[in-house]
Amino acid sequence: TMKLTILCEKDEEGHFVMECPELPGCLSEGDTLEEALESINEAIAGCITSRIKKATRKILNNTTPDNLSFSLEIPESIYA
């Protein structure tokens, strides 16, 4: 099971700002707690999807076999 930390604080203007420290650069905000939670969920999905796409492009650019089998490892630092 992958577990991620979500940090939340209110800024000076009263917005909820959220961050997922295991995914550097994964930040979001919302006017309400509900909006901020929805936004951070979307941001986390986007960050993970982006990393998978980047890894896939790297594999496809460096190999051209008839059959390809590989595993994608997500570092423990991302989900520990």
Side-chain angles (χ1 to χ4, degrees):
T1 301
M2 183 187 231
K3 293 184 181 183
L4 299 170
T5 304
I6 297 174
L7 304 176
C8 178
E9 63 181 46
K10 271 190 168 181
D11 67 11
E12 304 82 35
E13 298 173 0
H15 297 106
F16 291 90
V17 179
M18 296 197 169
E19 175 184 8
C20 180
E22 291 88 357
L23 299 169
C26 189
L27 304 163
S28 71
E29 67 176 81
D31 291 334
T32 66
L33 183 56
E34 184 178 354
E35 286 178 7
L37 285 168
E38 185 176 322
S39 182
I40 194 68
N41 280 318
E42 291 172 4
I44 289 169
C47 286
I48 292 172
T49 299
S50 174
R51 285 168 170 81
I52 291 171
K53 286 180 180 180
K54 184 177 178 181
T56 301
R57 281 193 304 273
K58 184 176 179 181
I59 290 167
L60 293 176
N61 288 336
N62 294 322
T63 59
T64 55
D66 292 332
N67 295 301
L68 177 65
S69 177
F70 67 92
S71 63
L72 177 64
E73 293 185 30
I74 299 175
E76 186 176 348
S77 62
I78 291 177
Y79 63 85

